Amino acid sequence: MFWKDFLDLRKNRGLLASMAALPAMLVVVPAGVVWAYAHRPEDPNLAVIARYYEATVSGADAVRFLIDKVLVDWFAVYLIMPVFVPILVSSFAIAGEKERRTLEPLLASPVTGLEILVGKSLASLVPALAICVVAFGALCVTVNVAAKAIVLPTPMWVFGVFVIAPLFAFFGNGVAVLISARVGDSRLAQQLAA
């Protein structure tokens, strides 16, 4: 069941592109902000921005403070990705089978309902978690290059990517599969799950 859905996912280029759009944005935007801070350390506005956060720093300290602040702020945004990426795939899990009229032959096969559910869930969770880890790796590289220093990974980010993100992905997948089982249209399932 997993391989069937996984191979179907590989053939759907539009779905793959939509799965890559959010991670790409979550790598490019924070790296761009870090680059803007790191390449203008003499800018007096950086100390003003740091004072907004009640930090009394200036010069290179202000740059490092703002880079750390950007990464902490984007951490929360990053954790949205493991919830929404599996929704794109798992919303098609049951509703897509209903649309294609392939659910009845699937249920008549020797595969149990639990095996169908686990296979379809893994087919959305595995690519979603792989995308999250790859995006994290790309974020570490781009931010470190932009900052001209090693600022990622931090313990918070490592814990978030390898512990919290899988839990969020599991939650998002579960919601999407439940909704997909109740509706007959995969687009409606995707909208409701989101």
Side-chain angles (χ1 to χ4, degrees):
M1 180 64 19
F2 167 77
W3 287 112
K4 175 198 164 297
D5 279 8
F6 188 71
L7 291 175
D8 287 345
L9 173 64
R10 281 187 33 201
K11 293 176 187 174
N12 192 340
R13 296 201 191 283
L15 187 57
L16 289 174
S18 65
M19 288 175 69
L22 179 61
M25 187 268 314
L26 290 174
V27 169
V28 171
V29 173
V33 173
V34 167
W35 184 87
Y37 288 153
H39 284 78
R40 294 186 13 207
E42 71 285 343
D43 188 350
N45 292 324
L46 296 179
V48 174
I49 296 169
R51 275 196 296 270
Y52 172 78
Y53 293 107
E54 298 179 4
T56 54
V57 292
S58 62
D61 292 336
V63 170
R64 180 59 190 220
F65 172 81
L66 291 173
I67 288 172
D68 290 341
K69 187 66 179 155
V70 164
L71 295 176
V72 168
D73 291 347
W74 275 89
F75 176 71
V77 177
Y78 181 88
L79 289 179
I80 293 171
M81 181 176 43
V83 175
F84 283 104
V85 172
I87 286 174
L88 296 170
V89 179
S90 55
S91 61
F92 292 103
I94 308 295
E97 298 282 352
K98 289 178 188 176
E99 284 178 348
R100 293 186 305 265
R101 305 218 185 272
T102 57
L103 184 60
E104 290 79 14
L106 185 63
L107 292 173
S109 70
V111 180
T112 67
L114 181 62
E115 290 171 337
I116 293 171
L117 181 65
V118 169
K120 289 191 171 293
S121 294
L122 284 176
S124 65
L125 284 174
V126 170
L129 291 175
I131 286 171
C132 289
V133 170
V134 168
F136 175 62
L139 179 68
C140 289
V141 169
T142 57
V143 164
N144 289 342
V145 167
K148 301 177 189 173
I150 305 287
V151 293
L152 277 181
T154 63
M156 177 186 73
W157 274 90
V158 171
F159 181 77
V161 169
F162 294 104
V163 177
I164 297 173
L167 295 173
F168 281 6
F170 185 74
F171 171 74
N173 176 66
V175 169
V177 168
L178 286 173
I179 291 172
S180 178
R182 296 287 179 207
V183 300
D185 181 31
S186 59
R187 289 176 296 226
L188 178 61
Q190 189 175 15
Q191 291 298 321
L192 291 175

